[in-house]
């Protein structure tokens, strides 16, 4: 009961945080004008982005299957796809639990050990973070002066604050030094007590779990068609870009924005979606509104764009994820209970060789 109460409190706080960000994003703005922008939008373009997004989900599902095949797990495409979409659906309600839930669904439907599935998901996330950093670097290089002027003026409070920060870097250096010392201390303690830890049953179970994670993480090395894997990665992110860029044409205020603005909306919107809040609510809207403000779009038009884009994608996840949820539950005859409590430290699970 105590654990359930803590989870309820945690998710309630995250939801409240999302709500606070939404209130912050629309504070001092003309709500009727925002509504007018949303009513007058050309939803043909949003329908087109939803079709592209659906293709992106199929591509992402196939890419995950390629990783699992390389790890020696032969689940079918539809088992992998449905598990992935159930995970995305869960992320709308339970921040960052979707990864565990989709691996749990795949364990029930396809027999893939949860730790192997999580390992492949970690690899997927590492690749996505790498791509996101590359996009962030490209975005900042293409429009550095625009973003720097916006940051100094709107976020850092003007040049005086920047000058003060540049003159006093001592707190940052101290924090970095403390982090390095703590990290080295933990590593030294683990190495020093390794033999004693190996005699502990819990440690051995954790070790087996980590081996399973590594089997998924390093599965990418054994993918037979690496070019096809790279194509699906490229196609997924191209779809993400087109979703944001084509949505510009739905609003007269953003109609003339170019591909650079689309790249910026993609990059910072992806950062907002990665935040540990339900479905990126609040963080996505605030970041996209802010980045469009840097391109000269009014706050009302920016938040209207963010609301419509996020709403369309959320609706698609609910539809596709809902279908996948029904199919997955009918196949197993089980409900949601226990999906977040699968035996992650299963010593009997078959773990692929990661040597």
């Amino acid at each position: 009961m105590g654990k359930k109460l803590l989870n309820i409190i945690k998710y309630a706080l995250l939801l409240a945080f999302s709500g606070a960000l939404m209130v912050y994003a629309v504070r001092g703005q003309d709500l009727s004008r925002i509504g007018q922008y949303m009513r007058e939008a050309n939803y043909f373009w949003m329908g087109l982005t939803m079709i592209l997004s659906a293709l992106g989900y199929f591509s992402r599902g196939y890419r995950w299957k390629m990783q699992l095949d390389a790890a020696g797990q032969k689940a079918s495409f539809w088992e992998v796809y449905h598990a992935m979409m159930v995970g995305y659906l869960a992320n709308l309600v339970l921040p960052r639990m979707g990864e565990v839930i989709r691996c749990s669904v795949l364990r029930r439907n396809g027999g893939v050990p949860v730790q192997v599935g999580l390992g492949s998901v970690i690899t997927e996330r590492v690749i996505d973070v790498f791509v996101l950093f590359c996009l962030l670097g490209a975005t900042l290089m293409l429009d550095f002066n625009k973003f720097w002027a916006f940051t100094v003026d709107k976020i850092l409070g003007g040049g005086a604050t920047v000058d003060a920060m540049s003159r006093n870097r001592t707190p940052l250096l101290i924090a970095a030094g403390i982090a390095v010392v703590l990290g080295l201390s933990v590593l030294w303690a683990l190495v020093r007590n390794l033999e004693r830890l190996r005699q502990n049953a819990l440690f051995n179970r954790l070790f087996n779990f980590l081996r399973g994670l590594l089997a998924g993480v390093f599965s990418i090395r054994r993918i037979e068609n690496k070019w096809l894997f790279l194509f699906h990665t490229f196609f997924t992110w191209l779809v993400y870009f087109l979703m944001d860029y084509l949505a510009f044409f739905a609003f007269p205020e953003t109609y003339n924005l170019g591909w650079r603005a689309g790249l910026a909306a993609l990059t910072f919107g992806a950062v907002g979606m990665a935040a540990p809040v339900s479905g990126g609510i609040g963080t996505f809207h605030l970041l996209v509104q802010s980045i469009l403000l840097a391109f000269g779009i009014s706050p009302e038009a920016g938040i209207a764009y963010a609301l419509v884009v996020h709403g369309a994608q959320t609706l698609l996840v609910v539809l596709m994820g809902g279908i996948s949820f029904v199919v997955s539950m009918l196949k197993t005859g089980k409900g949601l209970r226990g999906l977040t409590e699968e035996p992650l430290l299963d010593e009997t699970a078959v773990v692929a060789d990661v040597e």
Side-chain angles (χ1 to χ4, degrees), residues 97-161:
M97 283 303 298
E99 283 71 15
V100 175
I101 288 176
R102 73 166 170 170
C103 293
S104 300
V105 171
L106 189 58
R107 179 179 184 272
R108 288 183 177 184
N109 293 346
V112 177
V114 175
Q115 60 264 46
V116 177
L118 280 175
S120 63
V121 171
I122 290 173
T123 304
E124 186 180 89
R125 290 291 176 262
V126 169
I127 294 172
D128 288 341
V129 168
F130 174 75
V131 173
L132 185 56
F133 271 111
C134 290
L135 292 175
L136 180 61
T139 300
L140 293 177
M141 284 190 296
L142 287 170
D143 289 290
F144 178 79
N145 291 334
K146 182 190 298 291
F147 290 129
W148 180 244
F150 176 80
T151 301
V152 170
D153 184 46
K154 302 295 184 182
I155 300 177
L156 299 181
T161 303

Side-chain angles (χ1 to χ4, degrees), residues 232-249:
H232 281 289
T233 301
F234 170 79
F235 180 76
T236 297
W237 282 93
L238 176 63
V239 166
Y240 290 159
F241 168 75
L242 290 175
M243 284 160 46
D244 291 320
Y245 176 67
L246 293 179
F248 286 158
F249 299 107

Side-chain angles (χ1 to χ4, degrees), residues 1 3-4 27 35 52 58 72-73 89 118 144 156 188 206 209 219 237 247 249 251 271 295 304 334-335:
M1 183 63 183
K3 184 178 179 180
K4 290 184 178 180
R27 78 195 192 289
L52 288 172
F58 288 128
Q73 307 297 325
L89 181 63
L118 280 175
F144 178 79
L156 299 181
W188 177 81
L206 286 170
F209 173 64
S219 64
W237 282 93
F249 299 107
F251 300 88
V271 172
F295 281 89
K334 299 178 180 180

Side-chain angles (χ1 to χ4, degrees), residues 277-300:
V277 295
S278 300
I281 298 174
T283 52
F284 175 87
H285 301 82
L286 186 60
L287 286 175
V288 170
Q289 180 196 43
S290 299
I291 211 65
L292 292 181
L293 190 62
F295 281 89
I297 304 301
S298 68
E300 289 86 356

